[in-house]
Amino acid sequence: MSTHAKRERLLLADLLEAAGPEAPTLCDGWTCRVLAAHLVVRERRPDAAGGLLLNVLKGRLDKAMEEYTAKPYEELIQLIRTGPPKMSVYSLKQIDEAANAVEFYVHAEDVRRAQPDWSPRELDPVFSDALWSRLEKLARLTGRRAPVGLVLRRPNGQTAVAHKGTPVVTVSGEPGELTLFCFGRQEAADVSLEGEKAAVARLTAAKLGI
């Protein structure tokens, strides 16, 4: 496993363990137990994980989620920590980094920021740059449902267009915060928004993400 993905995986496992199975997350209606089951199904049940994108597989996904949610919480945490089986595509270093670094970062913040005593996490510059690089590639995909024009701007002035249109809202912040915003965690992201008041309100309420 690559450096960023491995680190975020272990951090997420630690956060889930510390929070406990019934602790809330930022994912609507999901406890830490359900989130842990989602992570395991995603890596270990490709036949069911397709239901995240394809309605035809939704029933299989629901059944797998029910099965894994019923497992002992400690077992789910251990499966997350140890990573995917060798035959999984996620065991390939390049795919692990591309698919999991952002996934685990976002879900780690889902756990952290849902707790009453959470505190900001300072990301190292290398990881911030990696998140920005990934966000640049995913910006149009995550912003496709934006009801207004959406421009992302990090503190060094780099920008990415997530959605073309008018009026335009510019969202500024560190790459990690912009990532959370674009993955549907608008209310939890530490960003500033510039644009018409009505446009900002529409963007904040929109369903962003993949």
Side-chain angles (χ1 to χ4, degrees):
M1 291 182 291
S2 55
T3 303
H4 297 313
K6 181 177 181 179
R7 182 186 62 193
E8 294 304 304
R9 174 191 296 279
L10 297 178
L11 173 61
L12 175 52
D14 288 346
L15 288 167
L16 287 166
E17 183 176 50
E22 304 312 316
T25 72
L26 295 185
C27 300
D28 253 358
W30 280 15
T31 61
C32 284
R33 177 186 295 280
V34 178
L35 175 55
H38 159 75
L39 293 168
V40 175
V41 168
R42 178 176 167 272
E43 286 194 321
R44 293 175 176 268
R45 286 291 305 276
D47 60 310
L52 294 167
L53 300 173
L54 303 173
N55 285 335
V56 69
L57 295 176
K58 182 71 164 51
R60 186 174 294 180
L61 173 62
D62 291 344
K63 185 176 180 180
M65 281 293 294
E66 183 179 350
E67 174 189 340
Y68 278 87
T69 302
K71 288 182 178 293
Y73 190 61
E74 297 76 12
E75 181 180 338
L76 294 175
I77 299 300
Q78 185 61 20
L79 289 173
I80 294 169
R81 278 205 178 99
T82 55
K86 290 184 178 180
M87 295 302 292
S88 169
V89 295
Y90 291 106
S91 66
L92 300 174
K93 187 173 182 179
Q94 295 86 346
I95 293 179
D96 179 50
E97 179 66 9
N100 284 336
V102 172
E103 174 87 3
F104 292 154
Y105 166 73
V106 170
H107 283 318
E109 294 305 303
D110 283 337
V111 177
R112 292 179 67 251
R113 300 188 188 207
Q115 313 312 315
D117 58 346
W118 79 275
S119 57
R121 172 190 172 194
E122 186 173 344
L123 303 183
D124 68 74
V126 175
F127 187 41
S128 285
D129 286 343
L131 288 176
W132 176 256
S133 177
R134 190 66 179 150
L135 187 56
E136 283 184 307
K137 296 179 176 67
L138 294 173
R140 295 290 179 88
L141 182 60
T142 62
R144 69 191 187 282
R145 291 191 293 265
V148 297
L150 174 56
V151 174
L152 310 174
R153 181 171 63 201
R154 62 185 300 193
N156 67 6
Q158 285 182 290
T159 61
V161 176
H163 189 74
K164 292 182 178 180
T166 56
V168 175
V169 175
T170 299
V171 181
S172 301
E174 295 291 344
E177 302 300 323
L178 293 173
T179 297
L180 292 174
F181 188 93
C182 287
F183 276 76
R185 280 72 171 176
Q186 293 99 305
E187 292 185 3
D190 182 14
V191 295
S192 61
L193 293 87
E194 303 172 38
E196 296 177 4
K197 186 176 181 180
V200 167
R202 291 174 64 198
L203 179 62
T204 303
K207 184 176 176 60
L208 301 182
I210 296 176

